[in-house]
Amino acid sequence: WWDVVIPNAFTPSEFIFDNQKEDYVVYLGRIQPDKGIHICIQTTEKLGKKLIIAGPGDLKHLGYSTLPSHVEHIGYVNAEQRAKLLSKASCLMAPTYYIEPFGNIVAESLMCGTPVITSDWGGFVDTVVQGYNGFRCRDFNDFVRAIENIKSIDPVNCKKYAMANYSDQVVHDKFHNWFDKLRAMNWYRT
């Protein structure tokens, strides 16, 4: 009865909200096969969309000795570059194969008003409201449909959801309330 899930906190001023999106998809994270990069590359290729990959690592160990023409790998980005990149993207893709415990990048993308497309398990079940701030997918066709329908997601809703659930003040209040509950129960004195 005393356990609770409290999400990570994000400072809204570190992110840029932009309602006008450009026509590129972004993947931001470690360059590893279990993060679903192949899905990002294959889905955007099928739809003729530009994919910007940002993150540490090299695509060569994933079998890409040369990048497909629609893919740009920009490497590691700092916090300012991340905010600019996310704010203009049509969406963020995070199609991890493993059970993602939270996926900070989803909350960061939503802070920028950028919808997300993820796998349909793990922490994404809590962070992505299907059709409201993004889409959760279970197979390749789901990812294709998600990108095709991404403009149906209102960037304002993405930002609103992030502020209501992950802003540092909201998360601070959740911790404060939890500690107050524990103190009131005196469970630690027995």
Side-chain angles (χ1 to χ4, degrees):
W1 297 109
W2 299 312
D3 291 337
V4 66
V5 175
I6 298 175
N8 295 336
F10 299 87
T11 304
S13 63
E14 294 178 4
F15 301 94
I16 302 166
F17 175 80
D18 196 325
N19 207 11
Q20 300 301 312
K21 304 300 181 184
E22 295 179 9
D23 195 24
Y24 67 86
V25 174
V26 68
Y27 166 87
L28 203 154
R30 296 183 315 276
I31 309 299
Q32 293 181 198
D34 61 350
K35 296 294 258 179
I37 295 172
H38 292 300
I39 294 172
C40 298
I41 292 171
Q42 293 165 5
T43 307
T44 53
E45 181 177 42
K46 178 175 177 64
L47 295 170
K49 299 286 185 184
K50 180 178 182 176
L51 172 65
I52 298 177
I53 297 175
D58 191 339
L59 288 157
K60 288 181 182 168
H61 76 277
L62 298 179
Y64 296 98
S65 55
T66 59
L67 290 179
S69 60
H70 74 289
V71 177
E72 180 182 357
H73 179 212
I74 61 175
Y76 174 82
V77 293
N78 63 30
E80 184 178 314
Q81 293 166 321
R82 175 196 62 199
K84 288 178 184 175
L85 181 66
L86 287 174
S87 71
K88 297 303 277 180
S90 64
C91 66
L92 166 89
M93 285 188 76
T96 60
Y97 294 141
Y98 65 94
I99 298 175
E100 183 78 58
F102 180 74
N104 283 349
I105 191 60
V106 167
E108 293 169 346
S109 184
L110 296 174
M111 281 282 176
C112 294
T114 299
V116 295
I117 299 173
T118 68
S119 39
D120 189 19
W121 47 73
F124 299 142
V125 175
D126 294 326
T127 57
V128 182
V129 180
Q130 189 77 350
Y132 181 75
N133 62 4
F135 297 103
R136 297 188 316 268
C137 306
R138 291 185 167 255
D139 62 31
F140 184 75
N141 290 326
D142 285 351
F143 285 103
V144 170
R145 279 190 299 276
I147 290 177
E148 288 175 335
N149 292 298
I150 204 64
K151 289 183 180 179
S152 68
I153 305 293
D154 186 346
V156 172
N157 289 342
C158 296
K159 176 73 172 188
K160 187 180 352 176
Y161 184 85
M163 292 297 293
N165 291 281
Y166 310 118
S167 68
D168 43 13
Q169 186 58 54
V170 167
V171 174
H172 172 270
D173 291 345
K174 288 180 181 185
F175 271 109
H176 185 77
N177 292 337
W178 183 64
F179 286 127
D180 282 349
K181 179 180 177 181
L182 293 178
R183 190 173 21 257
M185 296 174 94
N186 287 324
W187 70 270
Y188 57 88
R189 293 184 185 170
T190 59

